[in-house]
Amino acid sequence: MTSLDLCSDSLDGLSVGDALGAQFFVPGSGLAALLDGDPPAGPWPWTDDTEMACSIVAELRGHGGIDQDRLAARFAEHFEPYRGYGAGAVVLLRQVRQGVAWRDAAGAAFDGQGSMGNGAAMRVAPLGAFHAGNNRTAALQAWRSAEVTHAHPEAILGAVAVAVAAAEAGWSRLTRSRPEPAELLDVVLAHLVDGRLHAGIVLARRLLGVSVAEAAYELGNGSQVLAFDTVPFALWVAATRLDDYPAAIHACVEAGGDVDTTAAIAGGVVAAYTGSGPGGIPAQWLARREPLPTTYADKSAAWSRGR
Ligand code: F2R
Ligand code: MG
């Protein structure tokens, strides 16, 4: 099992969660049918969560780490507006395409506060899985990947939290030792500083025995599309359902809110532990997910050279 194998499994978990979660914005899709083994008919198109995660994975496959200028170029090159991007992300990626430096665009967003949206967290689990066994590197690389679009500290810490959780999940798989839910969240907390994201994870740790509905009520379900409204619940799901991918996705669907993103985050972390084969992601779900793009590395390199 290589770092890229772990990364690839996590990307499958992220993209299936994203694509299936996005189906629950479609009227008529129902949790009951999903639980009965009758998920929506395919294909399930993936959204911005997967599109941006693919750029991060291409960066890891090609170079083994994050070069921020190159990552910004990849994000801009592969930006397809119909994939359901956040409003601030649409503005920022168009600016980068027009030649504005990513650091200037990210710093100017939301009247100079920077985005505290959940977009840096939604795409980063495969990076964490890639660094399984080295949580500190996962945290630093996640930080670098986040800064390209999200200048607000809460959004950056959201990405750090998800990457560390995925790194720990991947390491637990390699060492065949499932962490207790509290242990997983403690590892995440050790890499954060005080703030709303940190407070949300502390609360998630206190709520490990409650129902999905209560957890979502207390932690948020992503309906504000903000990092601290999304990441604590998604990691609560991952920590409590680390060995059961379908149960993790069901929990995200049951909670409602920003389902594609809570399921992308939880799915990316859980699949780093379960793998994407038997006992991990259901084969039927993988088959219904829109295929992932295959040409990312080449197209981005050409676009970046041509600037
Ligand atoms: N856009 C969505 N979901 C909305 C509906 C999707 C549905 N499928 C449909 O088509 O109807 N999802 C995507 O956006 C989230 C990722 O967002 P990202 O990349 O962080 O973007 P952005 O725009 O920077 O932030 C998101 C929103 O958060 C609020 N916000 C951010 N920073 C703020 C600040 N400093 N002050 C105030 N508000 C701030 C804004 O409302 C932003 O638009 C993922 O869920 C992805 O799937
Ligand atoms: Mg999305």
Side-chain angles (χ1 to χ4, degrees):
M1 168 108 11
T2 67
S3 300
L4 280 173
D5 292 332
L6 288 166
C7 177
S8 176
D9 282 351
S10 176
L11 179 62
D12 276 335
L14 183 157
S15 55
V16 170
D18 171 31
L20 178 53
Q23 289 293 307
F24 289 86
F25 285 101
V26 178
S29 300
L31 174 64
L34 180 63
L35 291 174
D36 281 349
D38 182 24
W44 306 331
W46 36 260
T47 79
D48 55 333
D49 309 46
T50 298
E51 189 158 71
M52 298 189 99
C54 285
S55 288
I56 290 178
V57 171
E59 187 68 4
L60 297 172
R61 281 194 185 126
H63 306 279
I66 299 295
D67 175 283
Q68 291 179 306
D69 294 336
R70 208 168 42 218
L71 183 61
R74 288 188 196 276
F75 284 157
E77 160 70 6
H78 296 288
F79 166 57
E80 297 169 309
Y82 64 88
R83 293 287 184 181
Y85 282 80
V90 171
V91 172
L92 181 141
L93 293 172
R94 287 202 167 124
Q95 288 176 334
V96 173
R97 271 193 178 178
Q98 289 161 4
V100 177
W102 61 264
R103 197 178 287 280
D104 294 340
F110 297 97
D111 296 326
Q113 286 182 47
S115 173
M116 53 187 181
N118 56 21
M122 73 187 180
R123 64 196 188 212
V124 81
L127 179 153
F130 182 82
H131 292 294
N134 196 336
N135 294 338
R136 188 172 161 77
T137 303
L140 289 170
Q141 289 283 302
W143 187 292
R144 291 175 67 74
S145 75
E147 275 188 323
V148 168
T149 49
H150 290 68
H152 197 288
E154 293 285 356
I156 294 171
L157 290 171
V160 167
V162 173
V164 170
E168 190 65 14
W171 181 245
S172 301
R173 177 180 177 188
L174 293 175
T175 56
R176 299 173 196 270
S177 56
R178 182 190 163 165
E180 292 298 321
E183 288 173 336
L184 181 64
L185 295 182
D186 281 343
V187 171
V188 171
L189 284 167
H191 292 80
L192 302 179
V193 294
D194 283 351
R196 295 184 69 174
L197 197 288
H198 181 275
I201 306 282
V202 169
L203 183 56
R205 193 189 180 292
R206 285 200 205 114
L207 295 173
L208 292 171
V210 308
S211 67
V212 169
E214 187 174 347
Y217 176 80
E218 295 290 342
L219 301 171
N221 62 3
S223 59
Q224 298 175 56
V225 207
L226 300 173
F228 46 76
D229 168 53
T230 307
V231 173
F233 174 72
L235 293 188
W236 178 90
V237 169
T240 55
R241 289 152 176 80
L242 192 62
D243 60 358
D244 191 338
Y245 183 89
I249 303 304
H250 292 159
C252 295
V253 173
E254 181 185 343
D258 193 3
V259 182
D260 59 317
T261 293
T262 54
I265 294 172
V269 173
V270 170
Y273 179 77
T274 62
S276 60
I281 306 171
Q284 180 200 49
W285 294 11
L286 267 170
R288 291 190 182 184
R289 177 205 61 195
E290 177 187 0
L292 297 179
T294 54
T295 56
Y296 262 43
D298 297 338
K299 276 177 71 183
S300 288
W303 186 83
S304 189
R305 274 197 304 274
R307 295 192 75 209

